[in-house]
């Protein structure tokens, strides 16, 4: 995507051919800075501290992390240590394990002196494939938006097509395009009069900071709302569709996404608003069927609940306390939306019913 006229991806191989560049997402939307990862520790730290975040992007970062580890030590032991270190950084998004396994399984079969180069090529392939998958998700989602927009009553056709999204499933969460935001970008570029309700997404506010930033840069009309506003908007006919991403999708179509997604799905069902989930194949965990009981949910620091971060009037990033001294916080980072609440899964291969049969219809061989 373009920032101030320059095309960016979220992650790239630096010109030295051996280190990795990323956009530092902890400082957005206030500061656009990049960071260079030179070691496996750097990659693990970037994932854990959410310098990079979003399921597809942490997968690609993990893949490059293995390349960085193998450049320092290509032995079997070092490979396994790096795999374990990176895999432990964030537990919910299955893309991380998927990408790590893909690189590990490839290089294990090679002589040590070839491993780092092979890991580099595979990480680049994973990144390129992610871009292709997200662009295709955008095309399939665009067709849905066009159909829903045209199906609205005549009197509503003059209104923008209102889409609500939660967290950030845009290009910052992937390598480019995004998952849930890709159809929005494609719709905007295709001339659909679209407006996005952006859930702020407490506690880390990925919606208010990252999704709003992306949509501003692309000139997509949007409004940031507090997380609790979605049900009210739906009751008053202000939401034509909900679209979100997912960090792990089970074989039966349950979707695990940023905390609060489930409540949006419940409100959408109660108000007959279509609830779509956009995902690349790398997000499907074929080994799990029951998402509520099978998916590990990341528990993050209570400080993210008791404090909030922003820019002070002097332009300095600062953190302020919201809660009384001593009140504990609890911070599960994701929740599971059962398949029965999902209208459709928008994948790079097309749109599937959220069910085992639906997913198998698209991924017979996986
Ligand atoms: O904690 P985050 O910011 O990594 O969570 C990101 C999300 O929940 C996204 O919706 C998800 O990764 C899908 S992104 C394409």
């Amino acid at each position: 995507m373009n920032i101030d006229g320059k095309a960016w991806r979220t992650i790239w191989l630096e010109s030295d051919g051996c280190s990795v560049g990323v956009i530092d997402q902890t400082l957005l939307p206030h500061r656009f800075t990049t960071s260079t990862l030179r070691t496996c520790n750097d990659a693990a730290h970037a994932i854990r501290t959410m310098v990079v975040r979003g399921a597809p992007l942490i997968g690609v970062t993990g893949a490059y992390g293995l390349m960085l580890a193998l450049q320092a030590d290509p032995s079997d032991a070092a490979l396994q240590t790096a795999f374990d270190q990176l895999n432990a950084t964030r537990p919910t998004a299955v893309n991380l394990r998927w990408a790590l396994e893909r690189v590990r399984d490839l290089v294990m079969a090679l002589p040590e002196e070839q491993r780092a180069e092979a890991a580099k090529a595979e990480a680049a392939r994973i990144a390129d494939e992610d871009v292709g998958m997200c662009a295709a998700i955008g095309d399939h989602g665009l067709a849905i938006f066009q159909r829903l927009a045209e199906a609205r009553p005549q009197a509503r056709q003059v209104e923008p097509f209102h889409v609500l999204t939660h967290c950030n499933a845009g290009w910052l969460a992937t390598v480019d395009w995004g998952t849930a935001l890709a159809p929005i970008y494609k719709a905007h570029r295709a001339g659909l009069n679209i407006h996005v309700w952006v859930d702020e997404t407490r506690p880390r506010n990925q919606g208010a900071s990252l999704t709003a930033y992306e949509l501003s840069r692309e000139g997509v009309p949007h409004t940031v709302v507090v997380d609790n506003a979605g049900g009210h908007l739906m009751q008053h006919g202000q939401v034509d569709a909900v679209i979100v991403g997912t960090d792990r999708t089970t074989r039966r179509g349950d979707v695990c996404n940023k905390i609060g997604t489930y409540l949006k799905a419940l409100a959408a069902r109660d108000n007959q608003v279509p609830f779509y989930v956009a995902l690349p194949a790398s997000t499907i965990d074929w080994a799990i069927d029951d998402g509520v009981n099978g998916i590990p949910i990341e528990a993050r620091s209570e400080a993210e609940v008791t404090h909030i971060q922003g820019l002070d009037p002097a332009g300095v990033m600062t953190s302020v306390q919201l809660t009384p001294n001593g009140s504990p916080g609890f911070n599960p980072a994701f929740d599971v939306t059962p398949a029965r609440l999902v209208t459709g899964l928008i994948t790079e291969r097309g749109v599937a019913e959220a069910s085992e049969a639906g997913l198998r219809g698209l991924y017979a061989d996986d």
Side-chain angles (χ1 to χ4, degrees), residues 191-202:
L192 185 73
N193 180 12
I194 194 166
H195 166 262
V196 185
W197 296 113
V198 179
D199 277 358
E200 62 175 347
T201 319
R202 275 285 286 156

Side-chain angles (χ1 to χ4, degrees), residues 312-325:
D312 77 7
V316 177
M317 289 291 274
T318 190
S319 172
V320 294
Q321 183 173 328
L322 295 167
T323 51
N325 286 337

Side-chain angles (χ1 to χ4, degrees), residues 315-361:
V316 177
M317 289 291 274
T318 190
S319 172
V320 294
Q321 183 173 328
L322 295 167
T323 51
N325 286 337
S327 287
F330 176 52
N331 189 10
F334 298 93
D335 62 23
V336 173
T337 299
R340 64 185 148 76
L341 297 176
V342 176
T343 307
L345 300 171
I346 307 174
T347 79
E348 76 282 0
R349 295 194 185 176
V351 183
E353 181 188 89
S355 67
E356 185 157 4
L359 281 170
R360 279 293 170 211

Side-chain angles (χ1 to χ4, degrees), residues 146-322:
Q146 284 171 326
R147 184 172 48 74
L148 291 173
E150 280 164 23
R152 291 178 301 170
Q154 201 61 39
R156 295 222 40 212
Q157 298 281 337
V158 289
E159 275 269 309
F161 180 70
H162 294 288
V163 176
L164 183 141
T165 192
H166 191 70
C167 196
N168 172 262
W171 69 273
L172 287 164
T174 62
V175 178
D176 204 349
W177 280 111
T179 56
L181 295 196
I184 289 170
Y185 292 132
K186 296 240 173 180
H188 179 65
R189 290 181 186 188
L192 185 73
N193 180 12
I194 194 166
H195 166 262
V196 185
W197 296 113
V198 179
D199 277 358
E200 62 175 347
T201 319
R202 275 285 286 156
R204 287 188 67 99
N205 297 305
Q206 290 95 328
S209 54
L210 305 177
T211 298
Y213 173 79
E214 285 193 25
L215 294 173
S216 310
R217 295 287 147 169
E218 276 288 308
V220 179
H222 64 281
T223 308
V224 179
V225 288
V226 297
D227 293 322
N228 296 327
H232 168 79
L233 292 170
M234 291 184 216
Q235 283 176 326
H236 290 272
Q238 290 295 296
V239 182
D240 294 302
V242 178
I243 188 165
V244 297
T246 163
D247 285 73
R248 198 183 289 228
T249 308
T250 70
R251 192 171 69 224
R252 292 188 189 157
D254 295 343
V255 291
C256 183
N257 191 49
K258 183 53 55 191
I259 193 79
T261 301
Y262 172 47
L263 291 177
K264 292 300 137 67
L266 286 171
R269 175 53 55 94
D270 195 42
N271 292 281
Q272 297 85 49
V273 172
F275 182 93
Y276 283 98
V277 181
L279 61 132
S282 50
T283 303
I284 304 170
D285 187 342
W286 295 104
I288 295 182
D289 47 28
D290 173 3
V292 174
N293 295 302
I295 298 178
I297 301 294
E298 176 180 9
R300 294 188 60 84
S301 160
E302 66 178 311
E304 292 181 351
V305 177
T306 58
H307 290 66
I308 195 162
Q309 184 176 303
L311 205 63
D312 77 7
V316 177
M317 289 291 274
T318 190
S319 172
V320 294
Q321 183 173 328
L322 295 167

Side-chain angles (χ1 to χ4, degrees), residues 75-91:
S75 68
D76 283 1
L79 175 61
Q80 193 56 47
T81 302
F83 181 100
D84 293 340
Q85 179 188 10
L86 291 160
N87 196 32
T89 49
R90 295 198 71 191

